[in-house]
Amino acid sequence: MAEAKSNELMERIVSLCKRRGFVFQSSEIYGGINGFWDYGPLGAELKRNVKDQWWRYMTQRREDVAGLDATIIMHPTIWKASGHVDTFSDPMVDCKKCKSRFRADQLDSTPCPMKPSKMVCECDGEKTEARAFNLMFKTYVGPVESEDNVAYLRPETAQAIFVQFKNVLDVSRQKVPFGICQIGKAFRNEINPRNFTFRSREFEQMEVEFFIRPDEVAEKLGGKVAPFVEGMDLSTPQNDWGWEVWHRHWVAERVKWYESIGLSRNTLDFHWQKKEELAHYAKACVDILYQFPFGTQELEGIAARGDFDLSQHQKFSGKSMEYFDEEAKAKYVPHVIEPSAGVDRLVLALICSAYTEDQVPDDKGKMETRIVMRFHPRVAPIKVGVFPLLKNRPELVQKAKEVRDLLRPHMSVFYDESGAIGRRYRRQDEAGTPFGVTIDFDTLGEKPEAKDTVTLRDRDTCQQTRVHISELLPLLLEKVR
Ligand code: ATP
């Protein structure tokens, strides 16, 4: 029952996404292509805002993180060194009868109640044994399709950061502890893309590699390695922080960021990986999960990866990844904390979290259902709608266009003069526009004391207040930045 309801909710969300232009199926006129999605006008703005907010929070507002923008195709040995060529695979099984493909690990979680010991699919066909299927997309660089020219579309953005570690260090005047961050496309040939954009074959990641001192160096500097204590100050880095406190620092920072863009803490969950779930080199990993209608699933992973990655690249490239720490008078390969988030999953979480239906009176006072996308103003695709009360009154239209032009250099504005004002508000409610500005006869001075004021409508409460045009820009900027 609960599942049917959440499926229904997901269907309504998917349908709104298409109807209003948040997300379209890629290549739709050719029947689509499984695991690929396009963002329409509203989705493109939303996604851009998410990335801008992340970038600003993670690098521009911090002293200790620098940015990078690397290529998608890189030297293939990188993926040997990182372990992706040998181990980045999922177990795949085929149905011998209907030829469907499945991930064995996902099949096992929903065993057939009739035949619990035998793997069957819906057509009841027999399954092959599980085989490892490497998720990297392969291509060739140059005109010759030979094994020597094989290259891969990156399955994550992180490795570029490791291989550029030394270059960034040289030019940015950063000192360990410091981080490098990157936003960009990643590709995984997922066996079974599903849940709308949640598991796609082409997606974007926002990743930071934050390089820290090995614990023994932190101990040397600070006299001891600070233990993690519940309630401790995690916002001011200290010399005696080892990997554990740094890891907690990043978990706290990331949660703060999610809250700052409107994902409240009570919609998030945490999965602390158990020892047996961890990669062999990882010291800890926590997944930040969001309660999607189709289940509570991962948005971001934050891992303490030791010095595994830099050491691997040192070994495979023959180039030293060591760092000389002047303060500690020590030479070492830095360790790393990696907060790794998916843009598309977060956009989907924001869409699911924003989606609400409520009852409001229409123009004639009759109650009707409205869909409201309650995006936080920081990520909302359109920040403000500007409306002349009537479109056939040139004075109103002219004044409304002046207000539009006043705001437009600073934020995304949607000007709309067509239809009844109530309908125009509804259209913006569905787009998630947090503010609506209406230019009426009072604006023009019909009531002299209200001259040059406009009504400012709040999407969530539908409350309207009168604001002087000169106050509009600072008031809105404060909310959308
Ligand atoms: P999952 O277990 O869901 O496959 P993962 O643990 O393999 O994910 P990571 O390798 O940790 O994922 O990637 C970091 C982040 O990149 C994820 O938290 C997720 O937000 C995003 N991501 C990974 N794979 C996909 C995908 N196929 N589609 C969309 N986003 C993805």
Side-chain angles (χ1 to χ4, degrees):
M1 183 69 183
E3 194 181 330
K5 269 213 169 123
S6 57
N7 287 345
E8 210 182 277
L9 171 62
M10 206 51 218
E11 271 167 31
R12 289 206 294 267
I13 290 173
V14 172
S15 134
L16 176 91
C17 280
K18 174 159 188 209
R19 184 161 55 78
R20 291 309 312 258
F22 284 99
V23 180
F24 302 130
Q25 201 179 11
S26 164
S27 325
E28 194 189 82
I29 61 166
Y30 287 97
I33 170 167
N34 198 7
F36 297 86
W37 300 94
D38 293 342
Y39 290 84
L42 290 177
E45 290 285 342
L46 175 62
K47 195 173 173 194
R48 179 172 294 271
N49 291 342
V50 165
K51 290 190 284 183
D52 284 351
Q53 285 293 328
W54 186 91
W55 192 260
R56 211 173 318 150
Y57 191 88
M58 300 301 270
T59 119
Q60 294 174 344
R61 288 200 185 163
R62 293 183 67 115
E63 288 278 299
D64 56 357
V65 178
L68 180 72
D69 190 339
T71 58
I72 286 168
I73 293 179
M74 298 187 285
H75 197 290
T77 308
I78 288 174
W79 307 110
K80 264 266 168 218
S82 67
H84 283 81
V85 170
D86 294 330
T87 60
F88 192 59
S89 54
D90 280 335
M92 178 177 72
V93 290
D94 292 311
C95 172
K96 288 184 184 166
K97 195 166 150 202
C98 73
K99 309 291 176 214
S100 299
R101 293 219 141 134
F102 304 90
R103 258 175 70 173
D105 51 340
Q106 289 173 353
L107 253 189
D108 283 343
S109 61
T110 49
C112 169
M114 306 300 291
K115 299 175 181 169
S117 59
K118 190 176 153 211
M119 295 211 287
V120 288
C121 75
E122 275 170 14
C123 84
D124 213 26
E126 197 188 332
K127 291 254 154 52
T128 60
E129 289 294 309
R131 286 165 296 146
F133 172 73
N134 194 295
L135 300 183
M136 283 197 294
F137 279 97
K138 238 184 200 180
T139 186
Y140 300 93
V141 173
V144 184
E145 292 192 10
S146 74
E147 276 307 300
D148 291 342
N149 297 328
V150 163
Y152 302 96
L153 304 192
R154 66 183 177 200
E156 60 173 40
T157 58
Q159 294 306 318
I161 296 180
F162 294 120
V163 300
Q164 292 291 6
F165 165 71
K166 275 284 167 108
N167 276 336
V168 176
L169 184 66
D170 286 349
V171 299
S172 63
R173 310 181 107 224
Q174 292 283 357
K175 292 191 167 94
V176 171
F178 81 102
I180 304 175
C181 70
Q182 168 161 240
I183 299 178
K185 288 269 187 183
F187 301 81
R188 295 184 188 178
N189 201 359
E190 298 279 359
I191 296 169
N192 210 353
R194 58 185 177 162
N195 289 331
F196 199 24
T197 56
F198 179 84
R199 187 172 301 287
S200 306
R201 288 178 166 142
E202 175 174 341
F203 54 97
E204 272 185 272
Q205 290 184 312
M206 309 183 280
E207 296 192 298
V208 187
E209 300 303 332
F210 195 82
F211 300 100
I212 57 171
R213 295 177 168 125
D215 273 12
E216 56 279 13
V217 178
E219 184 178 359
K220 187 173 155 195
L221 263 183
K224 59 167 182 26
V225 177
F228 168 70
V229 182
E230 210 61 63
M232 74 188 286
D233 174 12
L234 288 168
S235 57
T236 326
Q238 303 293 333
N239 265 345
D240 63 353
W241 282 11
W243 71 264
E244 195 183 3
V245 177
W246 271 114
H247 186 235
R248 294 284 184 159
H249 163 84
W250 277 108
V251 176
E253 281 298 298
R254 299 300 303 135
V255 171
K256 258 196 253 167
W257 183 72
Y258 284 118
E259 288 180 319
S260 78
I261 58 164
L263 280 191
S264 65
R265 214 194 159 94
N266 59 10
T267 60
L268 300 176
D269 245 316
F270 300 88
H271 171 68
W272 286 86
Q273 290 188 10
K274 299 190 194 75
K275 249 209 161 105
E276 59 275 18
E277 292 175 85
L278 289 173
H280 66 92
Y281 46 80
K283 296 188 155 103
C285 184
V286 58
D287 296 335
I288 301 183
L289 317 172
Y290 174 76
Q291 294 159 17
F292 289 97
F294 47 82
T296 300
Q297 305 249 7
E298 175 179 334
L299 275 187
E300 165 160 359
I302 305 175
R305 299 174 62 89
D307 63 358
F308 175 76
D309 305 273
L310 286 181
S311 296
Q312 284 291 101
H313 289 301
Q314 178 166 281
K315 190 162 125 199
F316 278 74
S317 69
K319 305 277 173 357
S320 166
M321 292 290 165
E322 281 183 326
Y323 169 80
F324 181 71
D325 189 324
E326 283 171 18
E327 204 182 338
K329 307 219 181 326
K331 204 173 184 189
Y332 53 81
V333 174
H335 288 219
V336 77
I337 308 291
E338 177 190 81
S340 167
V343 180
D344 310 77
R345 282 189 188 178
L346 175 53
V347 166
L348 184 58
L350 290 168
I351 288 174
C352 292
S353 149
Y355 185 94
T356 38
E357 292 174 6
D358 63 8
Q359 298 283 321
V360 290
D362 68 8
D363 286 337
K364 298 191 180 75
K366 210 175 119 221
M367 295 306 270
E368 63 173 11
T369 301
R370 69 164 185 161
I371 294 176
V372 197
M373 296 300 282
R374 294 181 196 271
F375 292 120
H376 190 290
R378 289 197 178 111
V379 294
I382 303 166
K383 309 300 185 196
V384 57
V386 176
F387 318 109
L389 186 63
L390 299 169
K391 87 167 175 190
N392 56 4
R393 299 297 290 262
E395 331 78 277
L396 288 176
V397 168
Q398 192 200 332
K399 195 74 181 171
K401 287 186 174 166
E402 277 172 29
V403 172
R404 174 198 67 187
D405 294 344
L406 169 81
L407 300 176
R408 201 170 248 178
H410 307 276
M411 63 189 76
S412 55
V413 180
F414 192 83
Y415 173 80
D416 189 1
E417 55 181 34
S418 64
I421 191 76
R423 286 188 60 78
R424 284 182 263 164
Y425 288 152
R426 296 290 177 281
R427 281 202 286 265
Q428 290 310 307
D429 289 341
E430 273 192 352
T433 307
F435 306 105
V437 168
T438 305
I439 287 77
D440 58 16
F441 292 103
D442 288 348
T443 318
L444 303 177
E446 204 168 87
K447 270 199 213 122
E449 68 277 16
K451 187 168 167 21
D452 283 333
T453 64
V454 292
T455 64
L456 180 63
R457 175 183 180 267
D458 180 289
R459 172 198 64 202
D460 298 338
T461 61
C462 296
Q463 296 279 312
Q464 305 204 12
T465 45
R466 280 209 91 82
V467 175
H468 199 274
I469 291 175
S470 63
E471 288 167 12
L472 207 48
L473 183 60
L475 196 149
L476 291 175
L477 276 181
E478 195 193 302
K479 307 216 185 235
V480 304
R481 277 200 172 149

